[in-house]
Every structure is written in structure tokens, then in C-alpha cells.
């Protein structure tokens, strides 16, 4: 029977620090630092096998900016490898020594004790869609900043819009009428407006492309189900699917809510129970999407018929799926109204609704819609 050697890898942009752990002798072996290439890791493992004989490797490293490339390359060579979630690795508060060598040792020991949570390894196609959605998010951030810069410029020059809301048709019409006597100020203003217009055009082009991506055979079935929910349009559905990947990896709805960071924290001891706010320990982007969707549901009316957009999105789906999505809309709408009537803040009510919406989404995507 082959013995198992656990290989911890502390990966960085320029270097990898690797260390082998042998559980039978409780020893750390062959500690080495190398350039950050997969070929160097394979060469290192080959040399270790020549020294120890027939052994089986289990490799692992923390998730970080280096991505999943190393893990995919090792799996292609039939070498077991996992990417470990940094938040799941337990470290003592008395642990004062930290360097690459120590980190590699700790990772190797965690692999043996299985004291970690593995990160979902998405396919390359799933990751490419995720990066495309993140690009849209970055452009939205740039656009928000560009608008703020333009607003600050106008404020410094004493130009005030008398309307209630900015970036409406009335506000854009007012911007076209703004002029400055000084040519340099006019030129600066024109450049600010051009920046906003260019970013808006880029965003429209990317969102149109995302509409096309939503019809891809790998994501289309999931998107068709998700858009049945009120408050979740096509772009939001694509973003959710790209960020989550495989919904089945979550055994319960609570596990998925915890992954999003919407589960309730607790600090209880002895006979005292104390519940805290949400943990915020998961995917912050998904948490924001679910919260915005819940606020969108709050603005709907349960007394009248569904909107034309929602009816169009639900068209062609199974009746059970539509009924499940409608049940979610009624429940969340009444929940938020009830919490606010009891004196809860609107943000607290929408966050509670977002947690239930995440659970409903998990049920939809895992066929738990009974």
C-alpha cells in the first residue's frame, strides 16, 4: 500500500515555498523554495518520489490572486490537489512567527488533519464568464467614480442642478446647457462629460454581450429558472450563476446563506443567548446582489398582476418553478412589511429578506421546490 505524503505550498507571484509532511513519522521533509512555475513543482515531486519510493501526493495551497492554474495543471498530471479557503484555516492567536516556510508547514499539516474547507474549482469556461461579469462590475465602479468627479467639478464652479434626482433625462438636458466663460474650464467640463459617456457606452455594450452569454448552453438552464424570481433580471442571474458555480455542493439552504454571508451571528455563553447581525463572512458581491433584489421585491405590489417584464421572463418555464418563484415574492414582500411594522429598520428588513431569497434560490437550483 502506498504511503501518502501531504505537500503544503505557499504560493506567491514570484516564488513557491513547498514542504512535505509524513504523518507516520510526524516529520517535515524536503522544504524548498522555487520559482513559481508548474514545471518546477512537478520536478520537485519527481525528486521526492525518487527519494521515498512509491508514494502518493496530496497537494494544497491557499486561494489567492494566483488563481487555480497550478491546481488544474497538477490535476491534469493525476496529482491530487486542493485549493484551501483562507477563512477556514485555524491559526492560534499566540502564533507570532509567520514566513513562507512556516506557512508551507502549516498547510501541509492542515491537509493531513483535513482542517480546512476546499474552494470550489470551477471549469475554465465558468471562470471566464465570472471574469466577464467582474469586468462589468469594475466598469460600473469606474462609471460611478467618473460621475462623482463631474458632480464635484460642477459644485466647485457653483453650478447646481435644481431637480431632485441626478442622471435623469432632465439632468442630462441640463448638462448640455452648462457653459463656462473660461475656455479651460469648458474644456475640462467637456472631458469629464466625454469620460462619463464613454463608460456608459462600454457598459451598454458589455451588458448586451452578457445577454448573449446568458443563452450559452452551460448557463441558460440556470438563468431561465433564476429570472422567474421577482427582482432577479438576466444580468443578475448570470452574475449569480458565475459566482456560485455548482449549487449542489451546498447540502442545505443554510450552508448557501452562510457562503453568501447572510447567516446570523451568535455570541452565546452559559444560559445567555445573544444573536448578532449577519456574519458578512462570505461572498460580498453575491450578498449585495441578493440585498438589491430583496429591495426590488419590496417595491413591487402583491395586490395587482405581475409586471410585463416578470411575465416575459417566466414565459416557457415549468408551472412548479413559476409557482415557487411567486411564493417567494409573496413571502418576502409580507416579511419586509411585517418587520417594518414592528419597528425594524428598512435595511434590517431587506437583509432578512435577502437571506430568505438566497435560501429560495438554493431550493430552486437544487430542485427543492416542494
Amino acid at each position: 500500500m502506498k504511503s501518502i505524503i501531504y505537500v503544503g505550498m505557499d504560493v506567491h507571484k514570484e516564488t513557491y515555498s513547498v514542504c512535505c509532511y509524513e504523518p507516520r513519522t510526524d516529520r517535515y521533509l524536503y522544504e524548498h523554495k522555487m520559482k513559481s512555475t508548474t514545471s518546477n513543482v512537478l520536478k520537485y515531486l519527481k525528486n521526492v518520489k525518487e527519494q521515498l519510493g512509491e508514494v502518493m501526493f496530496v497537494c494544497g495551497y491557499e486561494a489567492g490572486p494566483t488563481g487555480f492554474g497550478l491546481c488544474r495543471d497538477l490535476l491534469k498530471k493525476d496529482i491530487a490537489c486542493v485549493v484551501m479557503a483562507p477563512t477556514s484555516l485555524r491559526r492560534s492567536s499566540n502564533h507570532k512567527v509567520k514566513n513562507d516556510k512556516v506557512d508551507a508547514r502549516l498547510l501541509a499539516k492542515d491537509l493531513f488533519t483535513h482542517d480546512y474547507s476546499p474552494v470550489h474549482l470551477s471549469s475554465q469556461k465558468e471562470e471566464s464568464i465570472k471574469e466577464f461579469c467582474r469586468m462589468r462590475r469594475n466598469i460600473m465602479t469606474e462609471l460611478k467614480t467618473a460621475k462623482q468627479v463631474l458632480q464635484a467639478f460642477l459644485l466647485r464652479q457653483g453650478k447646481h442642478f435644481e431637480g431632485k434626482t441626478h442622471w435623469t433625462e432632465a439632468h442630462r438636458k441640463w448638462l448640455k446647457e452648462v457653459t463656462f466663460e473660461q475656455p479651460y474650464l469648458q474644456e475640462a467640463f467637456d472631458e469629464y462629460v466625454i469620460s462619463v459617456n464613454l463608460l456608459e457606452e462600454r457598459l451598454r455594450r458589455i451588458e448586451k454581450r452578457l445577454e448573449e452569454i446568458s443563452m450559452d448552453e452551460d448557463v441558460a438552464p440556470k438563468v431561465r429558472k433564476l429570472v422567474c424570481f421577482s427582482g432577479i433580471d438576466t444580468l443578475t442571474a448570470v452574475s449569480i450563476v458565475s459566482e456560485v458555480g455548482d449549487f449542489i455542493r451546498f447540502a442545505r439552504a443554510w450552508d448557501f446563506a452562510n457562503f453568501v454571508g447572510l447567516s446570523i451571528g451568535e455570541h452565546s455563553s452559559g444560559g445567555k443567548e445573544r444573536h448578532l447581525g449577519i456574519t458578512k463572512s462570505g461572498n460580498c458581491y453575491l450578498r449585495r446582489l441578493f440585498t438589491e433584489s430583496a429591495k426590488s421585491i419590496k417595491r413591487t405590489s402583491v395586490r395587482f398582476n405581475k409586471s410585463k417584464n416578470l411575465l416575459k421572463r417566466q414565459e416557457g418555464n415549468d408551472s412548479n418553478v413559476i409557482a415557487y418563484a411567486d411564493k417567494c415574492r409573496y413571502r418576502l414582500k409580507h416579511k419586509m412589511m411585517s418587520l417594518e411594522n414592528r419597528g425594524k429598520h428598512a435595511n434590517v428588513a431587506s437583509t432578512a429578506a435577502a437571506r430568505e431569497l438566497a435560501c429560495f434560490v438554493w431550493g430552486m437550483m437544487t430542485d427543492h421546490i416542494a
Side-chain angles (χ1 to χ4, degrees):
M1 184 176 179
K2 294 183 179 180
S3 60
I4 300 176
I5 300 297
Y6 298 90
V7 184
M9 299 182 290
D10 188 51
V11 299
H12 296 282
K13 177 183 177 181
E14 302 293 340
T15 60
Y16 293 160
S17 295
V18 293
C19 171
C20 293
Y21 176 71
E22 189 178 27
R24 290 186 301 180
T25 59
D26 192 26
R27 289 189 303 160
Y28 297 103
L29 308 171
Y30 308 112
E31 295 172 293
H32 184 60
K33 196 168 188 175
M34 63 186 75
K35 288 187 176 181
S36 55
T37 61
T38 304
S39 59
N40 284 337
V41 175
L42 294 173
K43 184 178 179 181
Y44 167 82
L45 296 177
K46 181 180 178 181
N47 293 335
V48 171
K49 184 174 284 189
E50 290 176 356
Q51 297 291 328
L52 300 179
E54 286 299 319
V55 295
M56 185 171 66
F57 295 109
V58 176
C59 305
Y61 61 94
E62 285 185 76
T66 55
F68 302 140
L70 176 59
C71 183
R72 290 196 181 100
D73 292 340
L74 293 178
L75 291 175
K76 288 179 183 178
K77 299 294 183 179
D78 296 325
I79 299 173
C81 184
V82 294
V83 181
M84 309 156 78
T87 55
S88 66
L89 301 174
R90 296 176 177 85
R91 298 290 180 259
S92 172
S93 59
N94 296 324
H95 183 67
K96 302 298 181 181
V97 178
K98 185 187 185 306
N99 53 49
D100 294 348
K101 179 179 178 180
V102 171
D103 288 344
R105 285 188 171 194
L106 293 173
L107 291 171
K109 192 68 174 285
D110 288 335
L111 283 170
F112 168 64
T113 59
H114 209 279
D115 197 14
Y116 66 92
S117 295
V119 174
H120 171 65
L121 184 63
S122 57
S123 66
Q124 290 183 317
K125 188 174 184 179
E126 289 174 340
E127 189 171 355
S128 64
I129 296 175
K130 182 191 296 185
E131 291 296 339
F132 202 94
C133 292
R134 288 180 176 178
M135 178 184 64
R136 171 181 173 258
R137 198 163 78 221
N138 293 333
I139 293 176
M140 290 174 67
T141 302
E142 292 178 22
L143 177 59
K144 180 180 179 181
T145 302
K147 288 180 176 180
Q148 290 173 340
V149 170
L150 175 57
Q151 293 290 90
F153 170 79
L154 292 173
L155 182 62
R156 289 194 302 270
Q157 303 307 320
K159 303 290 186 179
H160 303 285
F161 176 60
E162 300 298 333
K164 293 183 179 180
T165 308
H166 293 91
W167 304 109
T168 58
E169 290 185 9
H171 181 250
R172 293 177 187 275
K173 183 179 179 181
W174 174 79
L175 284 176
K176 292 179 181 179
E177 298 172 353
V178 173
T179 57
F180 295 90
E181 294 181 0
Q182 293 294 328
Y184 296 146
L185 286 177
Q186 184 64 45
E187 186 177 350
F189 172 71
D190 292 340
E191 290 294 335
Y192 283 135
V193 174
I194 289 172
S195 297
V196 172
N197 292 337
L198 286 176
L199 287 170
E200 287 180 335
E201 178 59 31
R202 287 183 64 193
L203 186 60
R204 283 192 292 269
R205 187 171 66 250
I206 289 169
E207 289 180 347
K208 183 179 179 181
R209 181 60 178 147
L210 276 174
E211 294 279 354
E212 298 173 0
I213 291 175
S214 68
M215 294 182 285
D216 188 279
E217 58 181 4
D218 290 343
V219 298
K222 297 178 181 179
V223 170
R224 279 198 299 268
K225 287 183 177 181
L226 281 177
V227 295
C228 291
F229 288 105
S230 177
I232 299 180
D233 60 4
T234 303
L235 297 179
T236 303
V238 174
S239 298
I240 292 173
V241 170
S242 65
E243 288 289 334
V244 178
D246 185 15
F247 286 85
I248 301 177
R249 60 195 173 104
F250 302 102
R252 301 171 298 169
W254 183 89
D255 295 327
F256 180 61
N258 192 42
F259 168 75
V260 180
L262 288 169
S263 57
I264 299 175
E266 184 177 359
H267 187 80
S268 301
S269 180
K272 295 182 180 180
E273 290 189 8
R274 183 187 176 194
H275 295 282
L276 309 175
I278 58 174
T279 59
K280 296 185 181 180
S281 60
N283 190 308
C284 60
Y285 180 53
L286 278 177
R287 185 165 60 252
R288 193 180 77 185
L289 288 178
F290 283 120
T291 303
E292 290 176 351
S293 297
K295 290 180 178 179
S296 179
I297 293 173
K298 180 182 175 181
R299 292 191 292 269
T300 62
S301 176
V302 295
R303 297 181 181 179
F304 304 101
N305 295 330
K306 291 181 270 189
S307 66
K308 293 181 180 179
N309 289 333
L310 181 58
L311 287 172
K312 185 178 179 180
R313 297 202 305 264
Q314 291 181 345
E315 186 177 354
N317 279 281
D318 184 79
S319 59
N320 293 327
V321 171
I322 297 174
Y324 181 78
D326 290 343
K327 176 184 176 182
C328 172
R329 181 169 70 100
Y330 286 113
R331 177 178 173 83
L332 266 57
K333 176 72 174 179
H334 287 296
K335 183 181 184 68
M336 285 183 280
M337 291 173 56
S338 176
L339 288 173
E340 291 185 20
N341 290 336
R342 286 161 48 191
K344 296 292 184 181
H345 193 276
N347 289 340
V348 174
S350 59
T351 302
R355 178 170 56 253
E356 290 208 16
L357 177 60
C359 295
F360 269 101
V361 166
W362 175 86
M364 176 78 82
M365 306 312 294
T366 56
D367 294 328
H368 290 80
I369 60 176

